[in-house]
Amino acid sequence: MEILKTKVAIIGSGPAGLLLGQLLYKAGIDHILIEQRSAEYVAGRIRAGILEQVSVDLLEEAGVDAELKVKGLPHNGIEILTNGEKYRVDLTKLTGGKQVTVYGQTEVTKDLMLARTQAGLSSFYEAHNVQIHDFYTDQPSVTFGYKDQKFIIQCDFIAGCDGYHGICRASVPKDKIKTFEKVYPFGWLGVLADVPPVADELIYVQSERGFALCSMRSNTRSRYYLQVPLTDKVENWSDEQFWEELKNRLDPESREKLVIGPSIEKSIAPLRSFVTEPMRFGQLFLAGDAAHIVPPTGAKGLNLAASDIAFLSKALIEYYQTGSENGLEHYSENCLKRVWKAERFSWWMTHLLHRFETETEFEHKIKQAELSYILGSEAGQTTLAENYVGLPLQKAG
Ligand code: RFL
Ligand code: PHB
């Protein structure tokens, strides 16, 4: 067994783990990253597409925003289509100048992985049997297999950035953790295609046939989603069927403008709301999807991972630079305040824009009235816009 020593062991090489690694590196704090998948697999995953300003600022602070500055598309508004009518929510006007940036999670991941390679930072991809130990003591450790060798990392802290299915949250004793969950009775069928987007801005579609979303990755690459029953299988959806159904959910103008083409990726993602309390367990800190999941309707998943890392990186840097544990002690509280607000917003957008099989005609009418109120009132639109561009990071301590 080879013994390694470091300050922070980071489990998981998604956006949360990579960003934490980069920020610690910038601050001169030694760390090791352990990932169970291959680097190619991690870099190839197609997921989120919208960055809040808070996330863009953090990527700038981490020194990995060169590509983002060139290729990111600033968006000042979104459109919502309901009852055959399109409404524009002017995000920038309603929030005193804020905007969001279209830049794929795939690109964020690639930029961070490249920076890591260039800095020669220590990473173990394709690690197997990753286990964490003794995190309620001041001598936590991580064990894993890599190639034919066994490793133990002795560290001060473990950052659990290993996503919803990871081992970090699962290693916490049941009596020390509380989880909150809501599973939705439908999923999103997503298609990525090299065709120009149907419109300059994202269109969120509420229709009698179910929700749809027209998004993009660039001016030549589109990302579209359809609400589908959980029982649907991706292999039973041909490209033709996908485009046909998307057209059925759009307004005549967009239907006319839609450019279709072969899919380069197609997948179904289930929708879930999930929160873990607390997010700190001794020397183990959970961040990102390891601690919480949101349905993608509010575009918050990746952004929440980034804001957790903003709190965690600052707390660790403060600890190593001054010896103060203030940030570490308030980590859970600081994150969870923002997490619950993003959970509420994502749940509300999901509830408002999707068709639920179980909803009564009365509930359906009430939802239509709520959407009509929100879109018809500046106060209503401001609520939506403020949450969509991202709430400020507020610190408790
Ligand atoms: P990630 O990206 O899931 O990364 C976790 C990493 O940990 C690794 N791992 C382990 N490593 C070592 N040992 C173990 N035992 C391990 N177990 C797991 C995994 O291989 C992985 O590399 O979590 P992170 O960093 O917290 O980032 C969060 C975001 O990825 C996530 O919130 C968003 O992508 C969610 N999400 C979406 N969010 C949006 O805002 N808009 C979207 O359109 C959107 N689409 C999606 C999504 C998530 C999806 N998942 C999780 C299935 C579509 C999908 C399909
Ligand atoms: C995406 O482009 O993948 C995307 C955009 C906005 C969302 C969800 C996903 O709300």
Side-chain angles (χ1 to χ4, degrees), residues 164-165 169 177-185 230 270-277 289-295 336 339-340 343-344 347:
Y164 180 69
H165 300 286
R169 190 182 69 249
I177 188 167
K178 185 161 169 54
T179 56
F180 305 82
E181 185 172 43
K182 181 176 171 61
V183 177
Y184 299 86
L230 272 179
L271 268 64
R272 181 192 304 274
S273 298
F274 177 83
V275 182
T276 303
E277 285 189 0
D289 278 14
H292 39 72
I293 297 283
V294 284
L336 283 167
V339 166
W340 274 114
E343 289 282 345
R344 185 210 67 82
W347 163 83

PDB file of all heavy atoms in Angstrom, residues 164-165 169 177-185 230 270-277 289-295 336 339-340 343-344 347:
ATOM      1  N   TYR A 164     -24.436  12.606  -7.088  1.00  0.00           N
ATOM      2  CA  TYR A 164     -25.586  12.011  -6.377  1.00  0.00           C
ATOM      3  C   TYR A 164     -25.346  10.543  -6.005  1.00  0.00           C
ATOM      4  O   TYR A 164     -25.785  10.086  -4.956  1.00  0.00           O
ATOM      5  CB  TYR A 164     -26.827  12.144  -7.271  1.00  0.00           C
ATOM      6  CG  TYR A 164     -28.071  11.575  -6.644  1.00  0.00           C
ATOM      7  CD1 TYR A 164     -28.654  12.188  -5.540  1.00  0.00           C
ATOM      8  CD2 TYR A 164     -28.667  10.423  -7.170  1.00  0.00           C
ATOM      9  CE1 TYR A 164     -29.790  11.666  -4.954  1.00  0.00           C
ATOM     10  CE2 TYR A 164     -29.805   9.904  -6.592  1.00  0.00           C
ATOM     11  CZ  TYR A 164     -30.366  10.524  -5.491  1.00  0.00           C
ATOM     12  OH  TYR A 164     -31.485   9.999  -4.923  1.00  0.00           O
ATOM     13  N   HIS A 165     -24.645   9.800  -6.881  1.00  0.00           N
ATOM     14  CA  HIS A 165     -24.454   8.365  -6.641  1.00  0.00           C
ATOM     15  C   HIS A 165     -23.125   8.045  -5.950  1.00  0.00           C
ATOM     16  O   HIS A 165     -22.740   6.880  -5.873  1.00  0.00           O
ATOM     17  CB  HIS A 165     -24.522   7.595  -7.973  1.00  0.00           C
ATOM     18  CG  HIS A 165     -25.837   7.763  -8.665  1.00  0.00           C
ATOM     19  ND1 HIS A 165     -26.984   7.142  -8.236  1.00  0.00           N
ATOM     20  CD2 HIS A 165     -26.190   8.512  -9.730  1.00  0.00           C
ATOM     21  CE1 HIS A 165     -27.995   7.491  -9.019  1.00  0.00           C
ATOM     22  NE2 HIS A 165     -27.542   8.322  -9.928  1.00  0.00           N
ATOM     23  N   ARG A 169     -21.476  10.764   0.588  1.00  0.00           N
ATOM     24  CA  ARG A 169     -22.716  10.900   1.369  1.00  0.00           C
ATOM     25  C   ARG A 169     -23.122   9.536   1.952  1.00  0.00           C
ATOM     26  O   ARG A 169     -23.568   9.436   3.103  1.00  0.00           O
ATOM     27  CB  ARG A 169     -23.845  11.475   0.499  1.00  0.00           C
ATOM     28  CG  ARG A 169     -25.066  11.871   1.311  1.00  0.00           C
ATOM     29  CD  ARG A 169     -26.197  12.382   0.427  1.00  0.00           C
ATOM     30  NE  ARG A 169     -26.787  11.345  -0.400  1.00  0.00           N
ATOM     31  CZ  ARG A 169     -26.682  11.252  -1.717  1.00  0.00           C
ATOM     32  NH1 ARG A 169     -26.003  12.166  -2.394  1.00  0.00           N
ATOM     33  NH2 ARG A 169     -27.238  10.269  -2.391  1.00  0.00           N
ATOM     34  N   ILE A 177     -27.383  12.305   9.490  1.00  0.00           N
ATOM     35  CA  ILE A 177     -27.751  12.936   8.218  1.00  0.00           C
ATOM     36  C   ILE A 177     -29.267  12.888   8.024  1.00  0.00           C
ATOM     37  O   ILE A 177     -29.914  11.917   8.409  1.00  0.00           O
ATOM     38  CB  ILE A 177     -27.006  12.221   7.051  1.00  0.00           C
ATOM     39  CG1 ILE A 177     -27.180  12.950   5.730  1.00  0.00           C
ATOM     40  CG2 ILE A 177     -27.412  10.791   6.897  1.00  0.00           C
ATOM     41  CD1 ILE A 177     -26.219  12.463   4.645  1.00  0.00           C
ATOM     42  N   LYS A 178     -29.806  13.976   7.453  1.00  0.00           N
ATOM     43  CA  LYS A 178     -31.231  13.968   7.116  1.00  0.00           C
ATOM     44  C   LYS A 178     -31.361  14.337   5.642  1.00  0.00           C
ATOM     45  O   LYS A 178     -30.689  15.265   5.179  1.00  0.00           O
ATOM     46  CB  LYS A 178     -31.976  14.977   7.995  1.00  0.00           C
ATOM     47  CG  LYS A 178     -33.473  14.962   7.801  1.00  0.00           C
ATOM     48  CD  LYS A 178     -34.206  15.603   8.965  1.00  0.00           C
ATOM     49  CE  LYS A 178     -35.674  15.852   8.686  1.00  0.00           C
ATOM     50  NZ  LYS A 178     -36.429  14.689   8.248  1.00  0.00           N
ATOM     51  N   THR A 179     -32.188  13.611   4.908  1.00  0.00           N
ATOM     52  CA  THR A 179     -32.362  13.938   3.487  1.00  0.00           C
ATOM     53  C   THR A 179     -33.826  14.253   3.190  1.00  0.00           C
ATOM     54  O   THR A 179     -34.733  13.743   3.857  1.00  0.00           O
ATOM     55  CB  THR A 179     -31.886  12.782   2.579  1.00  0.00           C
ATOM     56  OG1 THR A 179     -32.577  11.600   2.946  1.00  0.00           O
ATOM     57  CG2 THR A 179     -30.395  12.555   2.687  1.00  0.00           C
ATOM     58  N   PHE A 180     -34.029  15.116   2.206  1.00  0.00           N
ATOM     59  CA  PHE A 180     -35.361  15.564   1.792  1.00  0.00           C
ATOM     60  C   PHE A 180     -35.450  15.305   0.298  1.00  0.00           C
ATOM     61  O   PHE A 180     -34.532  15.667  -0.445  1.00  0.00           O
ATOM     62  CB  PHE A 180     -35.526  17.062   2.056  1.00  0.00           C
ATOM     63  CG  PHE A 180     -35.261  17.461   3.483  1.00  0.00           C
ATOM     64  CD1 PHE A 180     -33.959  17.653   3.938  1.00  0.00           C
ATOM     65  CD2 PHE A 180     -36.305  17.639   4.371  1.00  0.00           C
ATOM     66  CE1 PHE A 180     -33.703  18.014   5.248  1.00  0.00           C
ATOM     67  CE2 PHE A 180     -36.067  18.008   5.695  1.00  0.00           C
ATOM     68  CZ  PHE A 180     -34.762  18.198   6.140  1.00  0.00           C
ATOM     69  N   GLU A 181     -36.546  14.705  -0.147  1.00  0.00           N
ATOM     70  CA  GLU A 181     -36.583  14.301  -1.552  1.00  0.00           C
ATOM     71  C   GLU A 181     -37.963  14.421  -2.177  1.00  0.00           C
ATOM     72  O   GLU A 181     -38.976  14.192  -1.529  1.00  0.00           O
ATOM     73  CB  GLU A 181     -36.121  12.839  -1.651  1.00  0.00           C
ATOM     74  CG  GLU A 181     -36.004  12.361  -3.066  1.00  0.00           C
ATOM     75  CD  GLU A 181     -35.373  10.977  -3.168  1.00  0.00           C
ATOM     76  OE1 GLU A 181     -35.746  10.104  -2.358  1.00  0.00           O
ATOM     77  OE2 GLU A 181     -34.530  10.787  -4.049  1.00  0.00           O
ATOM     78  N   LYS A 182     -37.979  14.836  -3.448  1.00  0.00           N
ATOM     79  CA  LYS A 182     -39.204  14.775  -4.239  1.00  0.00           C
ATOM     80  C   LYS A 182     -38.832  14.254  -5.619  1.00  0.00           C
ATOM     81  O   LYS A 182     -37.933  14.786  -6.269  1.00  0.00           O
ATOM     82  CB  LYS A 182     -39.837  16.173  -4.365  1.00  0.00           C
ATOM     83  CG  LYS A 182     -41.116  16.147  -5.166  1.00  0.00           C
ATOM     84  CD  LYS A 182     -41.791  17.496  -5.226  1.00  0.00           C
ATOM     85  CE  LYS A 182     -42.941  17.477  -6.201  1.00  0.00           C
ATOM     86  NZ  LYS A 182     -44.008  16.516  -5.861  1.00  0.00           N
ATOM     87  N   VAL A 183     -39.503  13.182  -6.028  1.00  0.00           N
ATOM     88  CA  VAL A 183     -39.222  12.610  -7.348  1.00  0.00           C
ATOM     89  C   VAL A 183     -40.390  12.974  -8.261  1.00  0.00           C
ATOM     90  O   VAL A 183     -41.550  12.864  -7.852  1.00  0.00           O
ATOM     91  CB  VAL A 183     -39.051  11.075  -7.247  1.00  0.00           C
ATOM     92  CG1 VAL A 183     -38.826  10.460  -8.620  1.00  0.00           C
ATOM     93  CG2 VAL A 183     -37.885  10.743  -6.321  1.00  0.00           C
ATOM     94  N   TYR A 184     -40.105  13.444  -9.454  1.00  0.00           N
ATOM     95  CA  TYR A 184     -41.174  13.870 -10.377  1.00  0.00           C
ATOM     96  C   TYR A 184     -41.560  12.712 -11.300  1.00  0.00           C
ATOM     97  O   TYR A 184     -40.697  11.904 -11.662  1.00  0.00           O
ATOM     98  CB  TYR A 184     -40.700  15.086 -11.196  1.00  0.00           C
ATOM     99  CG  TYR A 184     -40.368  16.258 -10.299  1.00  0.00           C
ATOM    100  CD1 TYR A 184     -39.094  16.382  -9.730  1.00  0.00           C
ATOM    101  CD2 TYR A 184     -41.326  17.198  -9.959  1.00  0.00           C
ATOM    102  CE1 TYR A 184     -38.792  17.430  -8.870  1.00  0.00           C
ATOM    103  CE2 TYR A 184     -41.030  18.243  -9.089  1.00  0.00           C
ATOM    104  CZ  TYR A 184     -39.762  18.351  -8.552  1.00  0.00           C
ATOM    105  OH  TYR A 184     -39.464  19.368  -7.683  1.00  0.00           O
ATOM    106  N   PRO A 185     -42.841  12.673 -11.691  1.00  0.00           N
ATOM    107  CA  PRO A 185     -43.296  11.510 -12.477  1.00  0.00           C
ATOM    108  C   PRO A 185     -43.015  11.634 -13.969  1.00  0.00           C
ATOM    109  O   PRO A 185     -43.794  11.167 -14.788  1.00  0.00           O
ATOM    110  CB  PRO A 185     -44.808  11.509 -12.204  1.00  0.00           C
ATOM    111  CG  PRO A 185     -45.147  12.943 -11.961  1.00  0.00           C
ATOM    112  CD  PRO A 185     -43.938  13.592 -11.367  1.00  0.00           C
ATOM    113  N   LEU A 230     -41.683   8.737 -17.611  1.00  0.00           N
ATOM    114  CA  LEU A 230     -40.493   8.027 -17.111  1.00  0.00           C
ATOM    115  C   LEU A 230     -40.344   6.650 -17.733  1.00  0.00           C
ATOM    116  O   LEU A 230     -39.255   6.077 -17.754  1.00  0.00           O
ATOM    117  CB  LEU A 230     -40.583   7.888 -15.593  1.00  0.00           C
ATOM    118  CG  LEU A 230     -40.011   9.040 -14.778  1.00  0.00           C
ATOM    119  CD1 LEU A 230     -40.190   8.782 -13.300  1.00  0.00           C
ATOM    120  CD2 LEU A 230     -38.534   9.264 -15.118  1.00  0.00           C
ATOM    121  N   PRO A 270     -34.006  11.677 -15.477  1.00  0.00           N
ATOM    122  CA  PRO A 270     -35.147  11.787 -14.555  1.00  0.00           C
ATOM    123  C   PRO A 270     -35.068  13.105 -13.796  1.00  0.00           C
ATOM    124  O   PRO A 270     -33.991  13.706 -13.704  1.00  0.00           O
ATOM    125  CB  PRO A 270     -34.940  10.605 -13.608  1.00  0.00           C
ATOM    126  CG  PRO A 270     -33.488  10.296 -13.671  1.00  0.00           C
ATOM    127  CD  PRO A 270     -32.981  10.752 -15.008  1.00  0.00           C
ATOM    128  N   LEU A 271     -36.175  13.586 -13.274  1.00  0.00           N
ATOM    129  CA  LEU A 271     -36.174  14.856 -12.526  1.00  0.00           C
ATOM    130  C   LEU A 271     -36.370  14.586 -11.047  1.00  0.00           C
ATOM    131  O   LEU A 271     -37.255  13.815 -10.660  1.00  0.00           O
ATOM    132  CB  LEU A 271     -37.293  15.784 -13.028  1.00  0.00           C
ATOM    133  CG  LEU A 271     -36.901  16.767 -14.149  1.00  0.00           C
ATOM    134  CD1 LEU A 271     -36.522  16.009 -15.406  1.00  0.00           C
ATOM    135  CD2 LEU A 271     -38.024  17.744 -14.435  1.00  0.00           C
ATOM    136  N   ARG A 272     -35.567  15.263 -10.237  1.00  0.00           N
ATOM    137  CA  ARG A 272     -35.592  15.012  -8.808  1.00  0.00           C
ATOM    138  C   ARG A 272     -35.210  16.277  -8.048  1.00  0.00           C
ATOM    139  O   ARG A 272     -34.376  17.054  -8.506  1.00  0.00           O
ATOM    140  CB  ARG A 272     -34.543  13.923  -8.534  1.00  0.00           C
ATOM    141  CG  ARG A 272     -34.374  13.464  -7.120  1.00  0.00           C
ATOM    142  CD  ARG A 272     -33.119  12.607  -6.983  1.00  0.00           C
ATOM    143  NE  ARG A 272     -33.062  11.458  -7.857  1.00  0.00           N
ATOM    144  CZ  ARG A 272     -33.598  10.268  -7.580  1.00  0.00           C
ATOM    145  NH1 ARG A 272     -34.200  10.051  -6.439  1.00  0.00           N
ATOM    146  NH2 ARG A 272     -33.506   9.280  -8.440  1.00  0.00           N
ATOM    147  N   SER A 273     -35.843  16.468  -6.881  1.00  0.00           N
ATOM    148  CA  SER A 273     -35.390  17.492  -5.932  1.00  0.00           C
ATOM    149  C   SER A 273     -34.864  16.724  -4.727  1.00  0.00           C
ATOM    150  O   SER A 273     -35.535  15.797  -4.253  1.00  0.00           O
ATOM    151  CB  SER A 273     -36.549  18.369  -5.455  1.00  0.00           C
ATOM    152  OG  SER A 273     -37.131  19.076  -6.513  1.00  0.00           O
ATOM    153  N   PHE A 274     -33.693  17.123  -4.217  1.00  0.00           N
ATOM    154  CA  PHE A 274     -33.069  16.357  -3.135  1.00  0.00           C
ATOM    155  C   PHE A 274     -32.130  17.262  -2.349  1.00  0.00           C
ATOM    156  O   PHE A 274     -31.355  18.014  -2.955  1.00  0.00           O
ATOM    157  CB  PHE A 274     -32.289  15.182  -3.747  1.00  0.00           C
ATOM    158  CG  PHE A 274     -31.537  14.348  -2.759  1.00  0.00           C
ATOM    159  CD1 PHE A 274     -32.170  13.335  -2.046  1.00  0.00           C
ATOM    160  CD2 PHE A 274     -30.184  14.567  -2.536  1.00  0.00           C
ATOM    161  CE1 PHE A 274     -31.465  12.559  -1.133  1.00  0.00           C
ATOM    162  CE2 PHE A 274     -29.472  13.807  -1.627  1.00  0.00           C
ATOM    163  CZ  PHE A 274     -30.115  12.802  -0.924  1.00  0.00           C
ATOM    164  N   VAL A 275     -32.245  17.243  -1.029  1.00  0.00           N
ATOM    165  CA  VAL A 275     -31.319  18.038  -0.200  1.00  0.00           C
ATOM    166  C   VAL A 275     -30.821  17.203   0.981  1.00  0.00           C
ATOM    167  O   VAL A 275     -31.590  16.453   1.589  1.00  0.00           O
ATOM    168  CB  VAL A 275     -31.996  19.321   0.365  1.00  0.00           C
ATOM    169  CG1 VAL A 275     -31.004  20.146   1.184  1.00  0.00           C
ATOM    170  CG2 VAL A 275     -32.579  20.181  -0.747  1.00  0.00           C
ATOM    171  N   THR A 276     -29.544  17.345   1.288  1.00  0.00           N
ATOM    172  CA  THR A 276     -28.927  16.696   2.446  1.00  0.00           C
ATOM    173  C   THR A 276     -28.646  17.750   3.514  1.00  0.00           C
ATOM    174  O   THR A 276     -28.088  18.806   3.199  1.00  0.00           O
ATOM    175  CB  THR A 276     -27.548  16.115   2.030  1.00  0.00           C
ATOM    176  OG1 THR A 276     -27.753  15.227   0.946  1.00  0.00           O
ATOM    177  CG2 THR A 276     -26.887  15.378   3.173  1.00  0.00           C
ATOM    178  N   GLU A 277     -29.009  17.467   4.718  1.00  0.00           N
ATOM    179  CA  GLU A 277     -28.658  18.359   5.840  1.00  0.00           C
ATOM    180  C   GLU A 277     -27.987  17.540   6.921  1.00  0.00           C
ATOM    181  O   GLU A 277     -28.480  16.450   7.241  1.00  0.00           O
ATOM    182  CB  GLU A 277     -29.929  19.003   6.411  1.00  0.00           C
ATOM    183  CG  GLU A 277     -30.494  20.110   5.552  1.00  0.00           C
ATOM    184  CD  GLU A 277     -31.616  20.880   6.247  1.00  0.00           C
ATOM    185  OE1 GLU A 277     -31.955  20.554   7.417  1.00  0.00           O
ATOM    186  OE2 GLU A 277     -32.161  21.773   5.628  1.00  0.00           O
ATOM    187  N   ASP A 289     -23.727  18.060  -6.484  1.00  0.00           N
ATOM    188  CA  ASP A 289     -24.760  17.016  -6.550  1.00  0.00           C
ATOM    189  C   ASP A 289     -24.633  15.965  -5.446  1.00  0.00           C
ATOM    190  O   ASP A 289     -25.592  15.243  -5.177  1.00  0.00           O
ATOM    191  CB  ASP A 289     -24.707  16.305  -7.918  1.00  0.00           C
ATOM    192  CG  ASP A 289     -25.435  17.084  -9.011  1.00  0.00           C
ATOM    193  OD1 ASP A 289     -25.743  18.271  -8.799  1.00  0.00           O
ATOM    194  OD2 ASP A 289     -25.695  16.491 -10.082  1.00  0.00           O
ATOM    195  N   ALA A 290     -23.485  15.850  -4.824  1.00  0.00           N
ATOM    196  CA  ALA A 290     -23.340  14.906  -3.707  1.00  0.00           C
ATOM    197  C   ALA A 290     -24.259  15.324  -2.559  1.00  0.00           C
ATOM    198  O   ALA A 290     -24.709  14.491  -1.770  1.00  0.00           O
ATOM    199  CB  ALA A 290     -21.887  14.890  -3.227  1.00  0.00           C
ATOM    200  N   ALA A 291     -24.566  16.625  -2.483  1.00  0.00           N
ATOM    201  CA  ALA A 291     -25.369  17.144  -1.370  1.00  0.00           C
ATOM    202  C   ALA A 291     -26.794  17.496  -1.784  1.00  0.00           C
ATOM    203  O   ALA A 291     -27.707  17.496  -0.944  1.00  0.00           O
ATOM    204  CB  ALA A 291     -24.695  18.378  -0.776  1.00  0.00           C
ATOM    205  N   HIS A 292     -26.984  17.833  -3.050  1.00  0.00           N
ATOM    206  CA  HIS A 292     -28.336  18.268  -3.469  1.00  0.00           C
ATOM    207  C   HIS A 292     -28.532  18.115  -4.967  1.00  0.00           C
ATOM    208  O   HIS A 292     -27.588  18.216  -5.748  1.00  0.00           O
ATOM    209  CB  HIS A 292     -28.572  19.728  -3.072  1.00  0.00           C
ATOM    210  CG  HIS A 292     -27.366  20.588  -3.261  1.00  0.00           C
ATOM    211  ND1 HIS A 292     -26.910  20.944  -4.503  1.00  0.00           N
ATOM    212  CD2 HIS A 292     -26.494  21.134  -2.380  1.00  0.00           C
ATOM    213  CE1 HIS A 292     -25.822  21.685  -4.372  1.00  0.00           C
ATOM    214  NE2 HIS A 292     -25.521  21.810  -3.094  1.00  0.00           N
ATOM    215  N   ILE A 293     -29.781  17.902  -5.343  1.00  0.00           N
ATOM    216  CA  ILE A 293     -30.157  17.773  -6.756  1.00  0.00           C
ATOM    217  C   ILE A 293     -31.348  18.694  -6.984  1.00  0.00           C
ATOM    218  O   ILE A 293     -32.234  18.792  -6.128  1.00  0.00           O
ATOM    219  CB  ILE A 293     -30.603  16.319  -7.069  1.00  0.00           C
ATOM    220  CG1 ILE A 293     -29.452  15.327  -6.862  1.00  0.00           C
ATOM    221  CG2 ILE A 293     -31.195  16.179  -8.462  1.00  0.00           C
ATOM    222  CD1 ILE A 293     -28.416  15.299  -7.952  1.00  0.00           C
ATOM    223  N   VAL A 294     -31.374  19.351  -8.129  1.00  0.00           N
ATOM    224  CA  VAL A 294     -32.562  20.118  -8.517  1.00  0.00           C
ATOM    225  C   VAL A 294     -33.038  19.637  -9.877  1.00  0.00           C
ATOM    226  O   VAL A 294     -32.212  19.209 -10.694  1.00  0.00           O
ATOM    227  CB  VAL A 294     -32.256  21.645  -8.611  1.00  0.00           C
ATOM    228  CG1 VAL A 294     -32.148  22.278  -7.246  1.00  0.00           C
ATOM    229  CG2 VAL A 294     -31.005  21.916  -9.443  1.00  0.00           C
ATOM    230  N   PRO A 295     -34.343  19.733 -10.153  1.00  0.00           N
ATOM    231  CA  PRO A 295     -34.763  19.466 -11.530  1.00  0.00           C
ATOM    232  C   PRO A 295     -34.208  20.587 -12.417  1.00  0.00           C
ATOM    233  O   PRO A 295     -34.069  21.719 -11.951  1.00  0.00           O
ATOM    234  CB  PRO A 295     -36.300  19.514 -11.456  1.00  0.00           C
ATOM    235  CG  PRO A 295     -36.619  20.280 -10.218  1.00  0.00           C
ATOM    236  CD  PRO A 295     -35.468  20.088  -9.284  1.00  0.00           C
ATOM    237  N   LEU A 336     -26.665  25.915   2.588  1.00  0.00           N
ATOM    238  CA  LEU A 336     -28.052  25.439   2.609  1.00  0.00           C
ATOM    239  C   LEU A 336     -29.075  26.561   2.428  1.00  0.00           C
ATOM    240  O   LEU A 336     -30.128  26.358   1.829  1.00  0.00           O
ATOM    241  CB  LEU A 336     -28.330  24.656   3.891  1.00  0.00           C
ATOM    242  CG  LEU A 336     -27.737  23.238   3.858  1.00  0.00           C
ATOM    243  CD1 LEU A 336     -27.733  22.598   5.237  1.00  0.00           C
ATOM    244  CD2 LEU A 336     -28.507  22.355   2.860  1.00  0.00           C
ATOM    245  N   VAL A 339     -29.093  26.918  -1.223  1.00  0.00           N
ATOM    246  CA  VAL A 339     -29.586  25.671  -1.814  1.00  0.00           C
ATOM    247  C   VAL A 339     -31.120  25.617  -1.728  1.00  0.00           C
ATOM    248  O   VAL A 339     -31.796  25.356  -2.720  1.00  0.00           O
ATOM    249  CB  VAL A 339     -28.966  24.445  -1.093  1.00  0.00           C
ATOM    250  CG1 VAL A 339     -29.712  23.164  -1.435  1.00  0.00           C
ATOM    251  CG2 VAL A 339     -27.480  24.324  -1.438  1.00  0.00           C
ATOM    252  N   TRP A 340     -31.660  25.896  -0.562  1.00  0.00           N
ATOM    253  CA  TRP A 340     -33.122  25.786  -0.409  1.00  0.00           C
ATOM    254  C   TRP A 340     -33.858  26.786  -1.288  1.00  0.00           C
ATOM    255  O   TRP A 340     -34.932  26.514  -1.813  1.00  0.00           O
ATOM    256  CB  TRP A 340     -33.542  25.914   1.061  1.00  0.00           C
ATOM    257  CG  TRP A 340     -33.468  24.584   1.770  1.00  0.00           C
ATOM    258  CD1 TRP A 340     -32.621  24.241   2.778  1.00  0.00           C
ATOM    259  CD2 TRP A 340     -34.273  23.417   1.514  1.00  0.00           C
ATOM    260  NE1 TRP A 340     -32.837  22.933   3.163  1.00  0.00           N
ATOM    261  CE2 TRP A 340     -33.844  22.402   2.406  1.00  0.00           C
ATOM    262  CE3 TRP A 340     -35.290  23.116   0.611  1.00  0.00           C
ATOM    263  CZ2 TRP A 340     -34.410  21.128   2.435  1.00  0.00           C
ATOM    264  CZ3 TRP A 340     -35.865  21.837   0.636  1.00  0.00           C
ATOM    265  CH2 TRP A 340     -35.421  20.870   1.527  1.00  0.00           C
ATOM    266  N   GLU A 343     -33.716  25.344  -4.668  1.00  0.00           N
ATOM    267  CA  GLU A 343     -34.637  24.193  -4.692  1.00  0.00           C
ATOM    268  C   GLU A 343     -36.067  24.686  -4.886  1.00  0.00           C
ATOM    269  O   GLU A 343     -36.820  24.138  -5.678  1.00  0.00           O
ATOM    270  CB  GLU A 343     -34.552  23.404  -3.378  1.00  0.00           C
ATOM    271  CG  GLU A 343     -33.254  22.627  -3.199  1.00  0.00           C
ATOM    272  CD  GLU A 343     -33.200  21.337  -4.006  1.00  0.00           C
ATOM    273  OE1 GLU A 343     -34.247  20.873  -4.490  1.00  0.00           O
ATOM    274  OE2 GLU A 343     -32.089  20.797  -4.152  1.00  0.00           O
ATOM    275  N   ARG A 344     -36.419  25.729  -4.137  1.00  0.00           N
ATOM    276  CA  ARG A 344     -37.786  26.271  -4.248  1.00  0.00           C
ATOM    277  C   ARG A 344     -38.036  26.776  -5.663  1.00  0.00           C
ATOM    278  O   ARG A 344     -39.046  26.469  -6.275  1.00  0.00           O
ATOM    279  CB  ARG A 344     -38.007  27.411  -3.243  1.00  0.00           C
ATOM    280  CG  ARG A 344     -39.439  27.920  -3.250  1.00  0.00           C
ATOM    281  CD  ARG A 344     -39.579  29.394  -2.896  1.00  0.00           C
ATOM    282  NE  ARG A 344     -39.010  30.301  -3.880  1.00  0.00           N
ATOM    283  CZ  ARG A 344     -39.619  30.701  -4.996  1.00  0.00           C
ATOM    284  NH1 ARG A 344     -40.832  30.256  -5.300  1.00  0.00           N
ATOM    285  NH2 ARG A 344     -39.022  31.522  -5.831  1.00  0.00           N
ATOM    286  N   TRP A 347     -38.267  23.842  -8.178  1.00  0.00           N
ATOM    287  CA  TRP A 347     -39.529  23.118  -7.966  1.00  0.00           C
ATOM    288  C   TRP A 347     -40.686  23.915  -8.550  1.00  0.00           C
ATOM    289  O   TRP A 347     -41.552  23.394  -9.246  1.00  0.00           O
ATOM    290  CB  TRP A 347     -39.744  22.896  -6.452  1.00  0.00           C
ATOM    291  CG  TRP A 347     -41.149  22.548  -6.104  1.00  0.00           C
ATOM    292  CD1 TRP A 347     -41.731  21.314  -6.161  1.00  0.00           C
ATOM    293  CD2 TRP A 347     -42.169  23.464  -5.674  1.00  0.00           C
ATOM    294  NE1 TRP A 347     -43.050  21.400  -5.793  1.00  0.00           N
ATOM    295  CE2 TRP A 347     -43.340  22.707  -5.493  1.00  0.00           C
ATOM    296  CE3 TRP A 347     -42.209  24.840  -5.415  1.00  0.00           C
ATOM    297  CZ2 TRP A 347     -44.545  23.290  -5.069  1.00  0.00           C
ATOM    298  CZ3 TRP A 347     -43.388  25.420  -5.002  1.00  0.00           C
ATOM    299  CH2 TRP A 347     -44.543  24.639  -4.831  1.00  0.00           C
TER     300      TRP A 347
END
